[in-house]
Every structure is written in structure tokens, then in C-alpha cells.
Amino acid sequence: MDVKELFSDKVKHLEGSAIREMFKLMAKPEIISFAGGSPDSALFPNRELAEISDRILKEQGPLALQYGVTEGYTPLREWVVDRLSSQGIDCSFDNTIIVSGGQQGIDLAAKSLLNAGDGVICEEPSFIGGLNCFRSYNAEIYGVPVESDGIDTDRLEEILKAHDNIKILYTIATFQNPSGITMSYEKRKRVLELAEKYNIIVFEDNPYGELRFSGEPVPTLKSMDKSGRVVYFGSFSKILSPGMRIGFTTAEPELIGKMVICKQVQDVHTPVLTQMIAHEFVTNYSIDEHISKISKVYGKKCEQMMSLMDEIFPDCVEHTRPEGGLFLFCTMPDGIDSKKLLNAAIERNVAFVPGATTMVDADKVYSSFRMNYSMASEEQIDKGVRILAEVLKDALAAL
Ligand SMILES: Cc1ncc(COP(=O)(O)O)c(C=O)c1O
């Protein structure tokens, strides 16, 4: 039997993430990988989490190991509401739920809102997990370029004017994955005006927002939202641990209600044990100190990578200058295919994410690539960027 013939319309066009495929290559110990998107595992608060887990299992085992409430472990949900409120977001217990990572929040909201053929606008470049989620609902995806201060709002309006099927704009407005770019305050205002004018919903995906290491904070779109148009996705993955699979979503209560029903179908609830551990960590250990510590490390690594690139990369190769998050984005002159460059780099034991995997039409040729600086050590950044400079020079010479 050829099971491929039985695949549903929702999944038959989906390709496995090139990033996932690369994880296999990255497992080779000799590879210096700038391709992943994980936080630095050396920064996980292992000792504290071990203490907490031990205590919870000894003292509250029956609660931690039992089925839980789909909407989330109440104390953690309350903590998230307080935290978001302190960041200027108008939210309440009833419109905020815990999900199994920000990714699940995006999927549940998309599932609740999208019919096949509905339009979703995505930034270009964007996060593959978001793109694949919208693809899996057979949405029509429209790409809008990201400029140095965020999405191109003129192009956004052109697309909104030209198509009447658009329901959602998906944006990673702060320390964007993959570009590291943050949308300016002026553009955030404009995005919300356009959302109002064209009656669309904005998905604000913000897993990196707390990881600022330079520059001034910019308010979230959700905190500027006056009409309940913004669905906000947050996560503990980058500030605490991705393996614990905890995220949160805040949106209009009616949408949250549908998402809860869909979550019951997907995984019933996010594991109570990890929610309890996270709650104990954020209340009794200093989460702000932890975030400040890890952000400093990421800032240092980012600076090291950028200065070395400035020094030794060919002048025609440009890169973004992130003020937080885990990624920067490089753009080479047209004509260099970053997928081919990746093959050449892998031969020399260096990996990155080629731009194509971050674009709406992944089959075109792109001269851009994403570099992650959170996982590599200082020595690896130094060695890997130097090798990459050589690979780039060879590619330019062959043009
Ligand atoms: C932009 C963006 N959104 C969402 C996620 C999903 O994060 P999680 O499901 O671990 O919270 C990621 C993970 O890399 C991401 O980069």
C-alpha cells in the first residue's frame, strides 16, 4: 500500500522542515552550527529546577501527576495575567490560557479562524513554524517584506487592498525570527490602523520580546490594541526551557473558548508537572534576574558575531543588527543561492539556515541566510564565522 496516496489535502503539500533535517547533520560533533533556534542549554537553571521538581513530586505528587484543566494550571495562569498586565496588556484570567508552547497557540488560533482559501499575510522572511501552520489549513499566504524597522506597511496596505480574503496578519514584531528586526512604534501604530481599516486579526507572536540586550523597549501591539484585534502568543521556551513546552495566549474570550475546545482534542492540557515547576520558578526564584543574565550572554555573543562579520565578511554581505533575541540575518548579492552556499559550508563543517526556508515561496532562489548566536560557544563563533567568510569569498569569486 502506498500511504502517500491517502494523505489529506491539509498535509500532502507540506515538506519536512529543512531545519529539522539539519538537526541530523548538526548531531555530527564536528559541525559548528548557527542553524538551530534553541536557547543555550548551558543557561538552563538546572539546579533550581531539580530542587523544585523534587519538592513538587514529594509534596504535591497527586496534583502534579493527575489530569489537569485544559485552560492551564490556575496559579501559573494568574501569574501570566499579572505579568502581561504589568507590561501594559489589557488581559484577564478568562481570556488567557496556557498552551503547550507558543507554537500550539498559533495552531489553535489558526484552526479556530481559518477556512481553506482564507488569506494570511506573513512577513518575509518569517518563522517556518508559523508558515507551515497556515499552509496546513490551506490558507493562501501573502508575503510582505520586512524592512530595517519592520514590515513594509505600504506593501501591506497594497496587499490588503488587492485581496478580500485576508483574515490574519502574522507578525513577529520584536526580535523577529529569522531577521532579528524589531518593528518601530510608528509602524506598529500603522499596522493596527490598517487592521482596523481592513477588518483583519493580528497574530502577534512574541517568544523573544523579553530577551532585550540593547536599545529601548517598544510596546507590544497587544498593549496598543483598542479593539481586541490582536491575538498574543507568548512562551517560556526562550526565557526558561523549551523542553517544558509551556506557552500562553491571550485574545478575545470567544476565540479563547474555541481554542480551548481544539486544545482538548489535541492534547487535553499542557502537562501539570511542568506548569507547576515553571510557576514555582517564576514566583520563588527570580525570573527577572534569570532573564537579565541570559540576555546579557546573548548580547555578548551577538556582538562578537557582528563585530567579526564587520571585520572579515566581504563588504557586499550585509547583516541585521538585533537588539535582542537569538538571530541575525545576512543578505548576499543577488545571484548567490544560499542553499548552495549551505552545501559548501557544511562541507567545511559550518551550518546556517538558508533564506528559502523562511519565505512564502520556498522554491525560489534567495541570497539570504539566518545565523543563530545563542547556541555556539565564543570559540565556535570565532572559528565558524571565519570559515563562513572564506566560503562567502569563494562563492563571490565564482559569480
Ligand atoms: C517566532 C517563533 N514563534 C514560535 C515559536 C515556538 O516556540 P514554542 O512553541 O517553543 O513556544 C518559535 C520557536 O522557535 C519561534 O521562533
Side-chain angles (χ1 to χ4, degrees), residues 221-286:
L221 286 151
K222 184 70 188 156
S223 69
M224 299 162 67
D225 175 26
K226 301 252 174 350
S227 54
R229 280 182 188 282
V230 179
V231 183
Y232 182 87
F233 307 98
S235 178
F236 284 89
S237 289
K238 313 297 158 134
I239 58 168
L240 184 56
S241 145
M244 288 169 74
R245 304 308 304 135
I246 307 175
F248 45 92
T249 302
T250 189
E252 288 299 279
E254 294 80 7
L255 175 59
I256 289 289
K258 286 288 180 221
M259 290 173 64
V260 169
I261 297 166
C262 295
K263 183 168 166 65
Q264 275 160 3
V265 176
Q266 272 187 10
D267 65 356
V268 186
H269 62 80
T270 299
V272 182
L273 176 61
T274 56
Q275 293 187 73
M276 288 176 81
I277 296 171
H279 175 253
E280 170 91 14
F281 185 81
V282 295
T283 46
N284 292 333
Y285 295 71
S286 179

Side-chain angles (χ1 to χ4, degrees), residues 168-392:
I168 295 167
L169 162 67
Y170 170 65
T171 173
I172 308 146
T174 309
F175 315 139
Q176 205 231 19
N177 177 6
S179 69
I181 285 171
T182 294
M183 195 191 292
S184 67
Y185 178 64
E186 289 65 35
K187 282 202 168 168
R188 287 173 196 237
K189 279 202 298 204
R190 183 78 188 124
V191 162
L192 291 175
E193 278 163 20
L194 291 172
E196 197 69 37
K197 181 167 169 193
Y198 292 91
N199 194 24
I200 58 160
I201 287 182
V202 178
F203 279 15
E204 180 177 27
D205 185 13
N206 194 20
Y208 303 102
E210 298 230 25
L211 297 178
R212 177 173 284 283
F213 44 74
S214 65
E216 292 304 315
V218 187
T220 56
L221 286 151
K222 184 70 188 156
S223 69
M224 299 162 67
D225 175 26
K226 301 252 174 350
S227 54
R229 280 182 188 282
V230 179
V231 183
Y232 182 87
F233 307 98
S235 178
F236 284 89
S237 289
K238 313 297 158 134
I239 58 168
L240 184 56
S241 145
M244 288 169 74
R245 304 308 304 135
I246 307 175
F248 45 92
T249 302
T250 189
E252 288 299 279
E254 294 80 7
L255 175 59
I256 289 289
K258 286 288 180 221
M259 290 173 64
V260 169
I261 297 166
C262 295
K263 183 168 166 65
Q264 275 160 3
V265 176
Q266 272 187 10
D267 65 356
V268 186
H269 62 80
T270 299
V272 182
L273 176 61
T274 56
Q275 293 187 73
M276 288 176 81
I277 296 171
H279 175 253
E280 170 91 14
F281 185 81
V282 295
T283 46
N284 292 333
Y285 295 71
S286 179
I287 182 72
D288 290 319
E289 245 171 57
H290 180 67
I291 293 173
S292 146
K293 177 178 127 188
I294 65 178
S295 304
K296 276 200 192 95
V297 175
Y298 296 145
K300 209 169 147 220
K301 289 186 179 191
C302 179
E303 186 51 46
Q304 185 200 353
M305 184 177 272
M306 291 194 302
S307 342
L308 192 56
M309 284 177 167
D310 291 341
E311 196 187 313
I312 63 171
F313 265 19
D315 286 344
C316 57
V317 179
E318 291 173 357
H319 66 82
T320 55
R321 308 199 78 87
E323 295 185 341
L326 308 184
F327 309 105
L328 59 81
F329 205 61
C330 298
T331 311
M332 305 175 285
D334 286 345
I336 304 187
D337 179 352
S338 57
K339 276 191 195 155
K340 288 195 183 136
L341 191 87
L342 176 62
N343 289 333
I346 283 179
E347 271 174 30
R348 301 180 64 178
N349 289 331
V350 175
F352 53 78
V353 172
T357 63
T358 67
M359 300 292 183
V360 174
D361 182 355
D363 294 329
K364 282 203 217 148
V365 170
Y366 297 94
S367 62
S368 52
F369 59 94
R370 185 190 80 178
M371 293 282 284
N372 160 271
Y373 44 78
S374 57
M375 290 167 77
S377 65
E378 273 179 41
E379 295 71 37
Q380 287 173 322
I381 292 177
D382 189 73
K383 188 168 171 202
V385 171
R386 285 181 194 280
I387 293 173
L388 211 48
E390 293 305 315
V391 175
L392 282 166

Side-chain angles (χ1 to χ4, degrees), residues 29-51:
E30 60 275 25
I31 287 272
I32 298 178
S33 178
F34 302 118
S38 307
D40 184 348
S41 42
L43 298 172
F44 295 148
N46 292 327
R47 194 181 43 80
E48 292 86 341
L49 295 179
E51 265 170 36

